Amino acid sequence: MVDVSKWPLFSLLSSEERATVRQACVFGTSANEAIYVTQENDVYVFGLNCSGCLGTGDSVSTIVPKKLDFLQGKKIVSLSYGSGPHVLLASEGRLSHSSFNGQLFSWGHNGYSQLGNGTTNPGFSAVAITTNLQSKKVMEVACGSHHSLALTHDGEVFAWGYNNCGQVGSGSTANQPYPRKVCSSLQGKTAVSITCGQASSMALVDNGEIYGWGYNGNGQLGTGNNGNQLSPCRLTTLQGLCIQQIVSGYGHCLALTDEGLLYAWGANTYGQLGTGNKNNHLSPVQIMDDKERVVEIAACHSTHTSAAKTSSGKVYMWGQCRGQLISRPRLTHLSSLDDVFACFATPPVSWRLVSMGEKKKENDVDNSFTAPSTTFATPEYDDFMTISEALREEFDCPDTADLKFSVDGKCIYVHKAVLKIRCEHFRLMFRSQWTEDQQEVIEISQFSYPVYRSFLQFLYTDIVDLPPEDAIGLLDLATSYCENHLKRLCQQIIKRGITVENAFTLLSAAIRYDAEDLEEFCFRFCVNHMTQVTQTTAFWEVDGAMLKEFISRASRCGAFKN
């Protein structure tokens, strides 16, 4: 669980104020500023306010949170910050789910036009960035020290701001006052993610390739040399690998493949590459190859800290950690990558906009199988239990249960009230004339015991703990019961557990349960590992119609080109 009070800055708020926080981001050269979203979707800022980076209309510091009224009724899609500091925020209106009616805002330091408004005047108040982005749906933003990137829904990358090393990707070193589409080698490519180092930029495209541009003095572009790149350059040293996630530190990068392999390159003065020494690497080098599958990585341009999470939930950190040099990934007691940056990064910033509560937007990448919540210690009562802890204890407890499910001859003990509160399916079951409402034992035959028990446990704990193959059955249940949040969690488990051996099985399941995002992910994995996948039993056991459709679709994607 992520606890917002782990960031020292939030100690300025009362416990009541901290309890309202749903999302938060701490930034600034000394982690002096913060922005947070409440459970009521109001946005507040507080802190030192360097260069007007709080967007309150002035440069006055405040320990009392101030509300940003211009974000009223909007949902934050993506947020990033630079070292100036300056802030980029992409919003989406709440009133329409069928069309995009949000905006891209910027405020703060603007000495190099990193706000994208055509000037170098300080941005004490937020401005909407519109030039060259009209009718564009911005899905992600990223900030370097003094430059900015935006990724649109159709996979285009726009850049602006400081360009002394080519970090804007325009082919020159002239500063860029307005958003400009990054072309060159990215022309015709569909980007799916962006990240920035101090003065470098990276884009991940949908086929798993990485492109980088800007400063390369420490090898952070991974091209095998240390020459700056004024235009996007493909990172060919990872050819043959399909990259799933990429993050940038101040002068280094980490990349995670779809098979859970982790690569690092660039600056290594603080051991941030995790290689066991302080030598820079101009090309990617694999790390953590003696550990289990990595499912998530973290870094940000404000620090020299790196972190990774494995499939079993273990969290590792390395680099500059509270002033200490850790040159190899070290296992921590922490439960999330966000905690690494709150407790050990210098300064203790957020590496992204952190979600504390359960409400997430449809396409959010959940970074844990556990829906996080904000918790606070109560030291004066050692035996005190929170509501969530008490519910967790009472799951499958025959002493207090008033209902039991029988699945595969085994019983699961539950409480009707909890099920009605947590699930619409059960709310209808116990409020209407369903025969189950009068039964003390409900027989379940369409789902297996592990799947149904995991579902009921999720209703008590927000936790899903299943291997990918069993998550397919839970995905079926979630689809049947119209549990969209659980459906997304199952898809995340499957994505993180996909292998060559089970890829086609998972693709078949995604198609069967109409999980479009998961289907696309599994399809891409199969295409990127075509040779190995076609040798598996699962591939040859699939029915002929699906096999024909897969081959046809793969052909249209160019999978069989010489």
Side-chain angles (χ1 to χ4, degrees):
M1 296 184 183
V2 179
D3 180 354
V4 70
S5 65
K6 290 181 180 178
W7 279 273
L9 187 62
F10 274 90
S11 64
L12 293 172
L13 305 188
S14 67
S15 58
E16 290 79 12
E17 288 172 319
R18 293 197 301 268
T20 68
V21 177
R22 183 168 62 84
Q23 292 177 298
C25 183
V26 177
F27 59 98
T29 54
S30 298
N32 288 324
E33 285 87 16
I35 181 170
Y36 67 88
V37 185
T38 69
Q39 301 291 348
E40 287 71 38
N41 298 309
D42 294 321
V43 181
Y44 289 87
V45 291
F46 67 101
L48 194 58
N49 203 13
C50 294
S51 301
C53 65
L54 296 184
T56 55
D58 54 43
S59 59
V60 179
S61 302
T62 176
I63 61 173
V64 178
K66 290 186 177 181
K67 187 176 178 181
L68 297 184
D69 292 324
F70 67 89
L71 290 173
Q72 185 70 39
K74 294 182 170 64
K75 180 169 58 176
I76 296 179
V77 175
S78 181
L79 181 143
S80 186
Y81 58 87
S83 300
H86 74 286
V87 176
L88 290 182
L89 184 149
S91 72
E92 182 174 346
R94 295 185 175 280
L95 301 180
S96 172
H97 296 286
S98 59
S99 63
F100 181 78
N101 56 351
Q103 290 176 291
L104 178 60
F105 294 98
S106 65
W107 62 88
H109 190 268
N110 194 34
Y112 303 95
S113 300
Q114 59 263 49
L115 299 188
N117 60 6
T119 76
T120 55
N121 301 325
F124 296 118
S125 298
V127 295
I129 307 175
T130 58
T131 303
N132 297 328
L133 290 174
Q134 295 93 339
S135 74
K136 297 289 184 181
K137 182 176 181 179
V138 175
M139 302 299 295
E140 185 179 358
V141 291
C143 295
S145 290
H146 299 94
H147 74 288
S148 305
L149 298 183
L151 173 65
T152 68
H153 184 264
D154 51 7
E156 296 177 330
V157 178
F158 288 79
W160 61 96
Y162 199 28
N163 194 35
N164 63 324
C165 300
Q167 56 265 49
V168 167
S170 60
S172 74
T173 56
N175 292 350
Q176 179 65 36
Y178 296 102
R180 173 192 174 278
K181 183 179 176 181
V182 182
C183 297
S184 187
S185 300
L186 281 183
Q187 188 69 37
K189 303 284 185 179
T190 302
V192 295
S193 183
I194 52 177
T195 184
C196 293
Q198 178 205 20
S200 60
S201 306
M202 307 287 283
L204 174 64
V205 300
D206 60 357
N207 65 356
E209 296 176 349
I210 300 173
Y211 289 80
W213 58 98
Y215 183 66
N216 194 33
N218 298 301
Q220 50 263 67
L221 300 185
T223 55
N225 58 57
N226 58 5
N228 295 349
Q229 295 290 333
L230 305 185
S231 299
C233 177
R234 182 184 167 197
L235 202 158
T236 58
T237 44
L238 288 176
Q239 189 165 352
L241 298 172
C242 181
I243 303 303
Q244 181 174 303
Q245 185 190 358
I246 181 170
V247 293
S248 296
Y250 185 88
H252 77 289
C253 288
L254 304 176
L256 179 64
T257 75
D258 59 358
E259 294 185 284
L261 306 179
L262 178 56
Y263 291 84
W265 63 93
N268 199 27
T269 304
Y270 300 92
Q272 59 266 48
L273 298 187
T275 56
N277 56 50
K278 297 193 295 182
N279 300 327
N280 293 357
H281 281 267
L282 305 183
S283 298
V285 57
Q286 187 177 353
I287 61 170
M288 290 187 65
D289 52 341
D290 59 336
K291 305 292 191 299
E292 61 188 346
R293 181 184 183 127
V294 177
V295 297
E296 184 188 14
I297 53 177
C300 69
H301 83 273
S302 293
T303 73
H304 307 285
T305 306
S306 302
K309 189 173 187 177
T310 67
S311 56
S312 67
K314 294 178 181 177
V315 173
Y316 292 82
M317 68 179 184
W318 61 99
Q320 188 180 34
C321 300
R322 281 203 178 171
Q324 301 297 311
L325 185 155
I326 300 176
S327 62
R328 290 190 184 279
R330 176 173 295 180
L331 180 62
T332 73
H333 66 283
L334 305 173
S335 60
S336 78
L337 302 187
D338 303 299
D339 286 345
V340 170
F341 286 82
C343 301
F344 290 96
T346 306
V349 294
S350 311
W351 73 281
R352 59 175 175 183
L353 181 66
V354 184
S355 293
M356 313 293 167
E358 298 174 17
K359 299 177 183 178
K360 293 184 177 67
K361 64 180 185 290
E362 184 73 21
N363 294 320
D364 264 352
V365 176
D366 195 349
N367 296 297
S368 142
F369 301 155
T370 305
S373 60
T374 305
T375 60
F376 304 97
T378 311
E380 58 269 39
Y381 299 107
D382 292 337
D383 59 346
F384 175 80
M385 293 178 67
T386 65
I387 292 175
S388 61
E389 290 169 341
L391 282 177
R392 188 179 298 113
E393 289 291 322
E394 292 305 313
F395 172 67
D396 204 11
C397 176
D399 295 336
T400 59
D402 57 3
L403 177 68
K404 58 184 177 182
F405 288 91
S406 178
V407 190
D408 297 340
K410 302 176 184 177
C411 286
I412 309 168
Y413 296 88
V414 294
H415 308 76
K416 279 188 178 181
V418 174
L419 301 191
K420 286 193 291 185
I421 291 170
R422 292 283 286 156
C423 178
E424 180 67 21
H425 174 81
F426 290 124
R427 192 174 299 122
L428 292 173
M429 176 184 291
F430 299 134
R431 283 184 178 176
S432 60
Q433 302 303 312
W434 290 27
T435 57
E436 287 88 346
D437 190 27
Q438 308 302 319
Q439 298 174 354
E440 294 183 359
V441 180
I442 299 177
E443 298 280 345
I444 299 294
S445 58
Q446 64 268 47
F447 302 106
S448 69
Y449 174 80
V451 165
Y452 211 78
R453 189 180 193 281
S454 181
F455 166 59
L456 295 174
Q457 187 174 27
F458 165 76
L459 297 181
Y460 279 74
T461 66
D462 283 331
I463 295 172
V464 177
D465 184 16
L466 281 176
E469 291 75 16
D470 284 339
I472 294 176
L474 189 57
L475 177 62
D476 183 17
L477 185 154
T479 304
S480 300
Y481 285 13
C482 300
E483 287 289 326
N484 291 329
H485 180 64
L486 179 59
K487 187 174 178 180
R488 292 194 296 273
L489 287 180
C490 291
Q491 292 182 43
Q492 291 153 13
I493 293 172
I494 294 169
K495 285 181 179 181
R496 292 174 175 180
I498 194 169
T499 65
V500 167
E501 290 299 323
N502 66 19
F504 221 76
T505 300
L506 301 181
L507 174 61
S508 302
I511 294 173
R512 187 161 64 251
Y513 302 134
D514 195 29
E516 295 181 3
D517 179 62
L518 178 62
E519 177 188 342
E520 179 64 22
F521 178 86
C522 293
F523 172 76
R524 288 288 178 184
F525 184 97
C526 289
V527 169
N528 291 326
H529 302 275
M530 180 76 77
T531 301
Q532 300 100 311
V533 168
T534 55
Q535 305 303 311
T536 63
T537 302
F539 181 83
W540 293 107
E541 287 182 347
V542 74
D543 68 84
M546 182 187 166
L547 189 59
K548 289 180 180 177
E549 173 59 27
F550 172 77
I551 292 174
S552 175
R553 184 177 173 188
S555 177
R556 293 194 297 272
C557 289
F560 304 113
K561 289 182 179 179
N562 292 325

